[in-house]
Amino acid sequence: MEFTSMFKFCGFASIFFVFLIHSLVRFFNSSRRKLPLPPGSLGWPYVGETFQLYSQNPNVYFASKQKRYGSIFKTHILGCPCVMISSPEAAKFVLVTRAHLFKPTYPASKERMLGKQAIFFHQGDYHAKLRKLVLRAFMPEALRNIVSDIEFIAKDSIKSWEDQLINTFQEMKTFVFNVALLAIFGKDEILYRDDLKRCYYILEKGYNSMPINLPGTLFHKSMKARKELAQILAKILSTRRQMKHDHNDLLGSFMGDKESLTDEQIADNIIGVIFAARDTTASVLTWILKYLSENPRVLQAVTEEQEAIIRSKEECSDERVLTWADTKKMPITSRVIQETLRIASVLSFTFREAVDDVEYEGYLIPKGWKVLPLFRNIHHSPDIFPEPEKFDPSRFEVAPKPNTFMPFGNGIHSCPGNELAKLEISVLLHHLTTKYRLVVCGGCREWDSVWPFCTSPEWSAHPIISEESDHT
Ligand code: HEM
């Protein structure tokens, strides 16, 4: 009898305890819910402020909002309530210290097109595993082996522009694509290069199209090209498996993993990496040429620095090919790249989604809301970078304060391709500045959105490659 009462008591006590915890959680959550939302306006029902965003340069929209509401504000765009943040501290909170509370988020149609297994869409163990494999292929130790191959591609590209009027951005995209194929497949897969290019170009055309998968639509063509790309990749994988060689490229890294990736995971990530690498790096290269042509003194300083590298190699009777060490002796060029990354901020912002209600600085960021760290606003803050609209590479003679300069993002999703991007830019600039004269024709429209808002000069300044210098 005593045992039964004891049993009943324990039962009631546990139910009471569970109830108490539940009520406390609810109380805690409801008190959080009482926190105010950040200032700002949600615009019209359903459409929110999407029209305001699209009817002007998005960067002007973000800047005017920040001026009005401060460094954290709410809005509603593309069908989603959003919180936009534009202080270094808030960006660190979202991307680094509380990264687990903010998952990367993309529209479902983009996930389908790039491939659901691609690195950008994931968190946790799968993401960490992919990141390790991608970084293995793009870390300096791996890249130093392909400097001369990148140089070959750069010289070949420039040669094809000689005495021609070129659309800079388009040509830079081709250059970057060829470098990406080299870094991913090494030199073996040259056989498939044209097919890979053809399919990728069709895929890319449909990226910003309406996601209607009916015959004849751009989206449909893109999805078909994506399927074909996956088939080409399957052929490459099967040839490699038969050859049984070790490769130091990205595909080798994916295939060499002990708990190996499936073919589908490999295909999604290869397409994803090409996508992440191409427009971003090509945009930065185009902006650099534009800024150099507008700033003849800076161009002169870069040219002299690059010529000094050639002279020092001649004096040491070194091989004439560039080495990794040479690319690390380019402080002026490197500051030009940094300043361009800052001023052009080709990825103006990125997207996250709050996985829970989050409190930041007394405001509520509700679960499910999108959160956009605005890199460009931080890079253009006069408190951080005085006279932010002025192209002044010398500002990078002093290292920027932590979390104020994030052209490659920050935290666990920051760009694993940043070393490769800087390397290919430096190699191309070496040959352009030392062997050619740039003549700019035409104007430059400032923005076009690619991934997710990659700012690329849509109709770019055209350098005419016209005159070879003494160093041939
Ligand atoms: C100048 C050129 C580039 C810029 C400005 C750039 C910028 C960025 C930024 C800002 C992110 C972070 C996005 C986020 O947090 O949501 C990112 C991610 C990424 N980038 Fe780059 N990128 C460049 C070139 C490259 C190249 C050359 C590659 C590969 C060869 C690459 C591969 C990636 C990948 C795979 C991610 C996703 C990383 C992850 O989710 O863990 N990027 N990039």
Side-chain angles (χ1 to χ4, degrees):
M1 188 67 185
E2 230 173 49
F3 177 76
T4 319
S5 326
M6 183 80 160
F7 187 73
K8 274 187 186 161
F9 173 76
C10 286
F12 280 129
S14 344
I15 290 169
F16 176 72
F17 187 68
V18 170
F19 179 75
L20 185 74
I21 296 284
H22 185 68
S23 307
L24 278 174
V25 169
R26 278 186 54 184
F27 172 76
F28 181 68
N29 277 345
S30 67
S31 62
R32 260 205 185 160
R33 284 223 166 267
K34 280 186 199 130
L35 286 171
L37 290 168
S41 117
L42 295 177
W44 294 85
Y46 304 113
V47 286
E49 298 194 318
T50 310
F51 291 133
Q52 280 102 309
L53 173 69
Y54 276 96
S55 59
Q56 57 190 310
N57 179 333
N59 298 322
V60 173
Y61 168 84
F62 296 136
S64 64
K65 285 277 176 184
Q66 184 187 339
K67 205 166 168 198
R68 183 151 176 210
Y69 298 114
S71 64
I72 172 162
F73 57 89
K74 66 174 180 291
T75 179
H76 192 289
I77 50 169
L78 302 166
C80 310
C82 304
V83 172
M84 310 229 167
I85 53 167
S86 59
S87 72
E89 297 75 25
K92 183 177 171 200
F93 180 83
V94 171
L95 299 173
V96 186
T97 46
R98 298 287 189 282
H100 59 287
L101 297 174
F102 300 96
K103 65 172 185 188
T105 170
Y106 289 80
S109 60
K110 313 278 185 231
E111 280 193 27
R112 260 173 81 195
M113 203 172 269
L114 293 182
K116 285 188 171 23
Q117 310 281 346
I119 184 168
F120 335 99
F121 311 130
H122 293 271
Q123 295 274 74
D125 291 348
Y126 176 65
H127 174 260
K129 172 174 160 171
L130 284 173
R131 208 171 154 80
K132 191 186 84 193
L133 300 177
V134 174
L135 280 169
R136 189 157 76 190
F138 295 147
M139 63 187 179
E141 288 69 31
L143 294 179
R144 64 170 65 235
N145 300 321
I146 58 167
V147 179
S148 57
D149 298 317
I150 296 179
E151 188 179 22
F152 180 83
I153 298 174
K155 283 163 94 172
D156 204 42
S157 304
I158 301 176
K159 193 104 195 118
S160 73
W161 307 333
E162 265 179 25
D163 299 324
Q164 298 209 26
L165 191 64
I166 58 158
N167 179 315
T168 318
F169 184 46
Q170 293 308 322
E171 294 301 325
M172 294 305 161
K173 280 188 358 171
T174 308
F175 164 66
V176 173
F177 190 80
N178 288 333
V179 173
L181 291 190
L182 169 80
I184 294 169
F185 301 113
K187 284 188 280 184
D188 290 357
E189 271 72 35
I190 199 145
L191 264 181
Y192 298 100
R193 184 158 296 173
D194 289 342
D195 282 341
L196 286 168
K197 255 184 206 168
R198 180 180 49 77
C199 294
Y200 184 79
Y201 288 5
I202 303 174
L203 173 72
E204 184 191 59
K205 269 196 194 141
Y207 182 73
N208 280 331
S209 63
M210 292 282 281
I212 301 169
N213 203 358
L214 288 175
T217 62
L218 265 182
F219 188 81
H220 184 76
K221 286 181 192 154
S222 281
M223 293 306 287
K224 251 177 87 181
R226 204 209 168 282
K227 223 182 234 169
E228 208 184 319
L229 260 181
Q231 284 160 357
I232 302 171
L233 291 170
K235 271 193 226 158
I236 297 177
L237 282 170
S238 119
T239 318
R240 277 214 179 178
R241 282 187 185 120
Q242 281 162 18
M243 290 191 335
K244 292 190 177 137
H245 287 161
D246 281 343
H247 290 82
N248 293 328
D249 44 43
L250 181 66
L251 185 58
S253 179
F254 283 158
M255 292 177 72
D257 187 42
K258 280 189 208 98
E259 319 129 54
S260 64
L261 302 176
T262 65
D263 287 10
E264 193 194 343
Q265 288 170 334
I266 295 181
D268 289 2
N269 280 289
I270 285 190
I271 296 170
V273 163
I274 299 177
F275 187 73
R278 203 162 105 95
D279 287 6
T280 46
T281 316
S283 279
V284 174
L285 265 165
T286 310
W287 285 116
I288 290 180
L289 295 189
K290 177 183 180 288
Y291 289 124
L292 285 181
S293 66
E294 288 170 359
N295 295 273
R297 278 204 189 150
V298 181
L299 174 60
Q300 183 62 25
V302 170
T303 309
E304 282 168 14
E305 177 174 87
Q306 297 298 339
E307 285 176 343
I309 289 177
I310 296 183
R311 271 199 307 277
S312 83
K313 289 177 87 67
E314 282 168 353
E315 278 158 22
C316 309
S317 65
D318 265 2
E319 271 190 87
R320 295 283 293 266
V321 292
L322 273 181
T323 62
W324 176 259
D326 294 330
T327 66
K328 296 291 146 196
K329 287 183 210 143
M330 303 178 178
I332 300 174
T333 310
S334 159
R335 289 199 287 271
V336 165
I337 298 173
Q338 284 179 297
E339 176 66 342
T340 307
L341 285 165
R342 180 197 70 80
I343 199 164
S345 290
V346 299
L347 283 190
S348 321
F349 60 86
T350 189
F351 283 99
R352 295 290 187 269
E353 184 182 307
V355 295
D356 203 346
D357 281 353
V358 183
E359 180 184 343
Y360 181 71
E361 300 242 304
Y363 292 120
L364 173 71
I365 303 178
K367 179 179 175 178
W369 280 40
K370 307 288 177 205
V371 180
L372 281 70
L374 301 177
F375 299 133
R376 188 188 172 90
N377 288 38
I378 297 173
H379 295 163
H380 282 247
S381 158
D383 301 334
I384 303 171
F385 296 102
E387 292 188 78
E389 305 311 321
K390 186 173 162 199
F391 180 77
D392 178 11
S394 72
R395 66 172 90 236
F396 282 95
E397 282 165 13
V398 180
K401 292 200 185 100
N403 309 303
T404 57
F405 182 54
M406 292 171 282
F408 294 107
N410 204 352
I412 50 168
H413 284 279
S414 66
C415 181
N418 75 88
E419 286 291 344
L420 175 62
K422 286 184 280 188
L423 173 64
E424 60 190 300
I425 293 172
S426 309
V427 171
L428 194 88
L429 286 180
H430 174 80
H431 287 282
L432 262 181
T433 55
T434 54
K435 300 191 185 75
Y436 295 87
R437 185 170 61 91
L438 305 177
V439 181
V440 179
C441 309
C444 178
R445 220 191 92 179
E446 275 217 359
W447 60 275
D448 186 22
S449 65
V450 191
W451 179 67
F453 273 110
C454 178
T455 323
S456 41
E458 193 185 51
W459 183 58
S460 47
H462 302 308
I464 304 175
I465 315 302
S466 59
E467 225 176 59
E468 292 213 34
S469 77
D470 300 341
H471 305 284
T472 42

